[in-house]
C-alpha cells in the first residue's frame, strides 16, 4: 500500500494528532539498549539528606563506557524557573564518553552547573538540567517518608517529579559533534545520546526522591515497581519548536517518512481473525481506550477531551471484535482489517487515527532498522544553477501546488528571536516590536512571489540569469531545488496566519521524541512527560523492556 499523500500527512491537524509509536526516539533507544545488553550501574552517590551533592552512573554499551554525572542542589522557591534564561537549577548533568573518576568529576563540577556560561570538552556528548516539580517532588517524598506510595488521584495524569528544561549537544559549548561519532557508534543514531541522558535523568529523579525520603527515617518506603515504571521525566515545549521544522525541511521529511511508511505497511498487511498480530492489536487497543478514559480530568483543549476520544476508540474496538468473530468489518469480509479499521477511524477525525496508528504499527518490528536508517539526512541547501526557468517552473508545478490551496497572504503574525527570553517568539504584526528581525517562515508567500516573477521569464533562461534580475528569490530557489523529490518536507500551512495553531507542530515533534501525557497550557505551549511507563535501569534486559505503549496508571492494589 502506498503512503499517504503529502497534502494529507502534512496538514497541520494531521501532524498535531501524531502520538508516540515504536519508532519514536525514546522507544528505539531503549530497544537498542535492551537488545545490545547495555548495563547501568551507580558508580558514585554522595548526597546529603536534602538531596544535595553528586552522583555518577556508569553505562556499558557495545564495548564502550559512558558516564552520566549529576550535580544536585535545592534552590529556594523564588530562584526556581524553567525558562531558558534561568541561571540556576536544582539539577544539572552531563553525559560523557569514558570513565568519570574523581578528578574528572571535579573538572565537570567546575563547568556543568553553569550551563550556558560553562565550557565542555570534546568527550562530552550532552548537557542537561532540571528542576524539582513544584507540585509533585515534595509530595512524593512526604508520601514515601510516611511509608506510603503516591496517590494516583494526585500524580496520575502528569507523572513526573523532575522537569527537564534543555538537552544541549552536537558541538554546543565545545561538546563533541555527532557527525564525528559515526553510524557504528552506540550513540551515533539521531537523538540517541539525548535519549540516554533523559532516561538516566529520569532514573536519578526517582532515586533522588527515595534518598530524600529514606533520609527522614527508617520507616520510609521506596517506590513500588508500578510507580518506578510509571514516573517519567517532565518537560514543556514552547514556540521554539515551530521554526525548527521550517529551518530543517529534510529532518521534517525524514520524521514524516518514519511515520508514514510503517503506517502504510501495517494497512497493507493481510490479517486473520485468529492471528497473533490480531490479538496483539486487540490488547493494545483496549489499553489505549483505558489510557484515554482514565485521564478524563486532563486538560486537552483545543484537542478532543480524552473521554470523547476513548468513545471513538470504543467504536473501533467493536469493529475489531466483529472481525475476530466473523471476519468482517462493517459487514464486509476483509483480509486487510487494519486498513478497514483505519478507514473507519477517518470518519472520526485525525485524533482517532493518530491513536489507532500507534496500535497498528506496534506488532511489526520488521521496519525498525530501515526506519532508523532513514533518519540520517544532510541538511545543506544549494541553488541548482544547472537548471533553467522551465525546470524550476516544472518543480513548482509538481511540488508546490499546495500553496494555491491556502491563504498565503495572511500576515497577521511574525516570528522572531527574543533578546530578553533568548527563545523564538511570535508577535502581532503592527503591534508588537521585533518585525525588523523577523524569521523568514513565510514559505508559501515566498513561493507565490517566486512564481509570479517566474511567469514572465522565458523557459530557456538560465536560473543564474534569472537570479541576477531577481536576487531576493535566492533562498526560496535553493530550498525548492534542494527539496525536490522529498515528499514530506513542507508543512501545508501559512505560519503567519491568524488561525495557525503552533500546538500542531509542537505535538508532532514531541510524538517523534516519544513524549506523552499532552497537557496544553495555551495555544503556544504544553507540558509533556518522557519515558512514562518505560523500564528502569534494572529492568532493561527484561522481556517487557519494549512494551510500554499507552501506560496505565498505578492504582492502589486491592487488599
Amino acid at each position: 500500500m502506498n503512503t499517504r499523500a503529502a497534502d494529507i500527512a502534512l496538514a497541520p491537524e494531521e501532524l498535531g494528532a501524531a502520538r508516540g509509536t515504536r519508532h519514536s526516539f525514546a522507544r528505539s533507544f531503549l530497544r537498542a539498549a535492551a537488545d545490545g545488553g547495555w548495563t547501568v550501574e551507580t558508580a558514585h552517590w554522595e548526597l546529603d539528606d536534602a538531596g544535595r551533592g553528586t552522583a555518577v552512573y556508569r553505562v556499558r554499551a557495545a564495548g564502550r563506557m559512558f558516564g552520566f554525572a549529576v550535580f544536585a542542589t535545592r534552590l529556594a522557591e523564588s530562584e526556581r524557573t524553567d525558562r531558558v534564561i534561568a541561571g540556576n537549577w536544582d539539577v544539572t548533568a552531563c553525559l560523557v564518553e569514558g570513565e568519570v573518576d574523581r578528578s574528572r568529576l571535579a573538572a565537570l563540577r567546575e563547568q556543568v552547573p553553569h550551563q550556558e556560561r560553562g565550557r565542555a570538552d570534546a568527550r562530552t556528548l550532552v548537557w542537561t538540567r532540571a528542576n524539582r516539580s513544584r507540585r509533585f517532588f515534595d509530595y512524593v517524598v512526604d508520601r514515601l517518608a510516611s511509608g506510603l506510595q503516591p496517590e494516583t488521584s494526585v500524580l496520575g495524569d502528569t507523572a513526573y517529579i523532575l522537569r527537564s528544561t534543555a538537552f544541549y549537544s552536537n558541538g554546543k559549548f565545545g561538546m563533541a559533534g555527532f557527525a564525528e561519532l559515526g553510524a557504528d557508534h552506540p550513540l551515533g543514531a539521531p537523538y540517541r545520546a539525548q535519549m540516554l541522558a533523559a532516561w538516566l535523568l529520569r532514573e536519578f529523579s526517582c532515586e533522588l526522591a527515595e534518598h530524600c525520603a529514606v533520609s527522614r527515617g527508617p520507616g520510609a518506603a521506596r517506590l513500588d515497581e508500578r510507580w518506578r515504571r510509571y514516573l517519567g521525566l517532565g518537560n514543556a515545549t514552547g514556540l521554539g519548536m515551530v521554526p525548527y521544522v521550517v529551518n530543517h525541511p529534510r529532518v521534517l521529511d525524514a520524521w514524516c517518512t518514519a511515520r508514514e511508511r510503517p503506517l502504510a505497511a501495517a494497512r497493507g498487511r493481510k490479517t486473520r481473525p485468529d492471528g497473533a498480530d490480531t490479538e496483539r492489536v486487540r490488547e493494545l487497543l483496549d489499553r489505549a481506550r483505558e489510557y484515554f478514559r482514565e485521564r478524563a480530568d486532563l486538560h486537552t483543549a483545543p484537542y478532543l477531551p480524552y473521554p470523547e476520544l476513548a468513545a471513538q476508540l470504543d467504536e473501533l474496538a467493536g469493529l475489531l471484535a466483529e472481525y475476530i468473530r466473523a471476519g468482517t468489518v462493517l459487514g464486509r469480509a476483509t483480509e486487510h482489517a487494519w486498513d478497514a479499521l483505519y478507514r473507519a477511524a477517518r470518519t472520526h477525525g485525525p485524533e482517532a487515527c493518530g491513536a489507532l496508528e500507534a496500535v497498528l504499527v506496534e506488532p511489526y518490528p520488521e521496519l525498525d532498522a530501515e526506519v532508523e536508517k532513514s533518519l540520517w539526512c544532510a541538511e545543506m541547501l544549494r541553488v541548482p544553477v544547472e537548471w533553467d526557468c522551465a525546470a524550476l517552473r516544472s518543480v513548482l508545478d509538481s511540488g508546490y501546488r499546495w500553496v494555491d490551496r491556502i491563504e498565503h497572504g495572511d500576515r497577521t503574525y511574525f516570528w522572531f528571536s527574543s533578546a530578553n527570553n533568548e527563545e523564538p517568539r511570535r508577535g502581532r504584526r503592527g503591534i508588537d516590536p521585533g518585525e525588523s528581525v523577523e524569521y523568514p517562515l513565510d514559505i508559501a508567500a515566498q513561493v507565490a512571489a517566486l512564481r509570479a516573477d517566474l511567469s514572465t521569464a522565458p523557459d530557456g533562461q538560465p536560473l543564474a540569469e534569472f537570479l541576477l534580475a531577481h536576487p531576493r528569490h535566492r533562498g526560496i530557489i535553493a530550498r525548492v531545488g534542494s527539496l525536490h523529490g522529498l515528499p514530506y518536507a513542507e508543512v501545508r500551512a501559512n505560519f503567519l496566519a491568524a488561525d495557525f495553531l503552533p500546538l500542531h507542530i509542537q505535538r508532532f515533534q514531541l510524538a517523534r521524541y516519544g513524549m506523552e501525557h499532552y497537557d496544553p497550557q495555551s495555544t503556544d505551549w504544553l507540558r509533556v512527560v518522557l519515558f512514562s511507563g518505560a523500564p528502569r535501569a534494572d529492568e532493561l534486559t527484561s522481556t517487557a523492556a519494549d512494551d510500554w505503549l499507552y501506560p496505565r496508571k498505578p492504582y492502589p492494589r486491592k487488599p
Side-chain angles (χ1 to χ4, degrees):
M1 178 173 291
N2 294 329
T3 56
R4 296 190 302 173
D7 284 354
I8 295 175
L10 290 160
E13 60 273 13
E14 291 287 342
L15 295 173
R19 306 203 79 91
T21 73
R22 67 175 298 111
H23 300 113
S24 298
F25 294 118
R27 289 284 304 280
S28 63
F29 148 66
L30 272 177
R31 189 162 53 245
D35 292 346
W38 296 14
T39 62
V40 179
E41 59 183 315
T42 303
H44 174 83
W45 187 273
E46 192 174 346
L47 278 75
D48 66 15
D49 291 354
R52 296 169 298 204
T54 57
V56 176
Y57 295 92
R58 182 185 294 123
V59 181
R60 300 183 190 276
R64 292 177 179 264
M65 183 184 298
F66 304 94
F68 186 68
V70 184
F71 306 97
T73 186
R74 174 152 195 166
L75 297 179
E77 200 62 39
S78 60
E79 296 181 86
R80 189 177 293 125
T81 175
D82 294 328
R83 303 294 295 277
V84 170
I85 58 174
N88 296 288
W89 302 267
D90 287 314
V91 175
T92 56
C94 62
L95 178 68
V96 302
E97 292 241 31
E99 183 73 68
V100 179
D101 56 21
R102 286 198 171 270
S103 63
R104 192 174 187 191
L105 184 62
L108 292 171
R109 187 185 293 111
E110 290 297 315
Q111 300 294 332
V112 175
H114 298 299
Q115 295 286 293
E116 283 87 348
R117 294 173 284 118
R119 187 71 180 171
D121 61 37
R123 296 176 66 205
T124 300
L125 299 173
V126 178
W127 276 10
T128 185
R129 69 275 188 104
N131 284 325
R132 300 183 184 195
S133 168
R134 288 186 176 94
R135 296 178 292 166
F136 302 131
F137 186 88
D138 287 338
Y139 166 76
V140 170
V141 171
D142 289 344
R143 293 286 294 181
L144 294 178
S146 299
L148 304 170
Q149 295 298 309
E151 296 173 291
T152 303
S153 60
V154 175
L155 196 60
D157 284 340
T158 41
Y160 66 87
I161 49 181
L162 278 190
R163 181 176 170 186
S164 60
T165 65
F167 289 92
Y168 293 130
S169 57
N170 199 25
K172 196 162 183 118
F173 313 137
M175 282 178 257
F178 287 145
E180 303 166 14
L181 302 183
D184 294 333
H185 192 282
L187 300 181
Y191 286 91
R192 184 141 300 164
Q194 293 96 324
M195 289 297 144
L196 173 57
W199 182 63
L200 291 171
L201 188 56
R202 176 253 200 165
E203 182 81 5
F204 175 76
S205 73
C206 294
E207 295 191 348
L208 175 64
E210 290 177 331
H211 171 89
C212 292
V214 170
S215 296
R216 296 189 186 179
R222 295 189 179 271
L223 291 163
D224 71 24
E225 70 275 10
R226 297 168 306 149
W227 277 110
R228 291 176 80 247
R229 265 190 166 244
Y230 188 69
L231 285 169
L233 181 68
N235 198 274
T237 187
L239 292 173
M241 298 182 76
V242 177
Y244 183 89
V245 301
V246 179
N247 295 330
H248 299 82
R250 291 183 182 273
V251 172
L252 175 62
D253 177 77
W255 289 10
C256 284
T257 300
R259 178 188 186 186
E260 297 300 324
R261 291 191 65 184
L263 175 60
R267 292 176 63 190
R269 279 187 175 268
K270 285 190 175 182
T271 56
R272 300 195 326 268
D274 62 347
D277 54 348
T278 301
E279 173 58 23
R280 181 62 170 155
V281 167
R282 185 202 62 76
E283 173 194 348
L284 292 172
L285 186 55
D286 285 348
R287 193 189 297 179
R289 294 158 63 200
E290 293 307 312
Y291 173 89
F292 293 112
R293 182 168 286 109
E294 68 185 14
R295 286 164 178 77
D297 296 329
L298 187 66
H299 176 266
T300 59
Y303 297 97
L304 286 178
Y306 275 178
E308 186 174 335
L309 181 54
Q312 294 177 354
L313 297 183
D314 287 345
E315 293 187 29
L316 300 179
L319 296 179
L320 179 56
E322 174 195 338
Y323 175 71
I324 293 173
R325 182 180 66 253
T328 62
V329 175
L330 291 171
R332 298 178 182 176
T334 182
E335 292 182 324
H336 295 88
W338 306 155
D339 183 55
L341 279 183
Y342 187 83
R343 290 178 182 275
R346 294 296 303 175
T347 65
H348 292 299
E351 291 190 68
C353 290
L356 178 66
E357 169 197 337
V359 169
L360 295 183
V361 304
E362 185 70 22
Y364 306 115
E366 295 88 343
L367 287 179
D368 289 352
E370 183 180 338
V371 166
E372 186 167 300
K373 186 177 180 180
S374 72
L375 294 170
W376 291 85
C377 55
E379 298 190 71
M380 186 69 68
L381 303 180
R382 58 174 288 272
V383 174
V385 292
E386 67 276 12
W387 289 7
D388 60 17
C389 288
L392 177 58
R393 195 164 15 242
S394 175
V395 169
L396 289 172
D397 287 344
S398 63
Y400 284 84
R401 279 299 175 192
W402 60 270
V403 170
D404 300 332
R405 296 190 290 272
I406 69 171
E407 179 48 69
H408 54 74
D410 185 343
R411 300 178 62 82
T412 300
Y413 288 103
F414 67 95
W415 294 79
F416 66 103
S417 184
S418 168
N420 291 335
N421 297 306
E422 299 180 10
E423 294 177 294
R425 287 288 183 266
R426 186 171 67 153
R428 278 195 165 268
R429 195 176 302 279
I431 299 174
D432 297 321
E435 288 185 54
S436 61
V437 290
E438 179 178 359
Y439 290 161
L441 301 190
D442 55 338
I443 301 304
Q446 291 181 52
V447 168
L450 170 60
R451 186 180 285 137
D453 285 340
L454 195 63
S455 67
T456 63
D459 284 351
Q461 184 180 34
L463 200 51
E465 185 177 308
F466 173 80
L467 273 171
L468 284 174
H470 305 282
R472 72 186 182 110
H473 296 313
R474 180 182 178 88
I476 192 63
I477 289 176
R479 185 183 185 92
V480 169
S482 300
L483 302 182
H484 179 52
L486 300 180
Y488 300 119
E490 301 281 17
V491 177
R492 290 350 189 212
N494 175 7
F495 286 65
L496 313 186
D499 62 354
F500 175 72
L501 186 62
L503 286 178
H504 288 327
I505 309 302
Q506 295 163 331
R507 275 191 44 167
F508 171 72
Q509 293 170 274
L510 295 171
R512 291 303 315 146
Y513 295 146
M515 297 185 182
E516 260 295 352
H517 307 336
Y518 303 134
D519 184 10
Q521 302 298 296
S522 74
T523 59
D524 293 352
W525 72 283
L526 69 162
R527 292 179 179 141
V528 286
V529 181
L530 184 61
F531 290 120
S532 177
R536 293 276 299 276
D538 58 1
E539 302 174 305
L540 191 56
T541 57
S542 72
T543 57
D546 196 37
D547 184 17
W548 45 287
L549 184 69
Y550 294 130
R552 296 291 309 279
K553 292 182 179 181
Y555 290 103
R557 299 184 190 277
K558 295 181 179 180

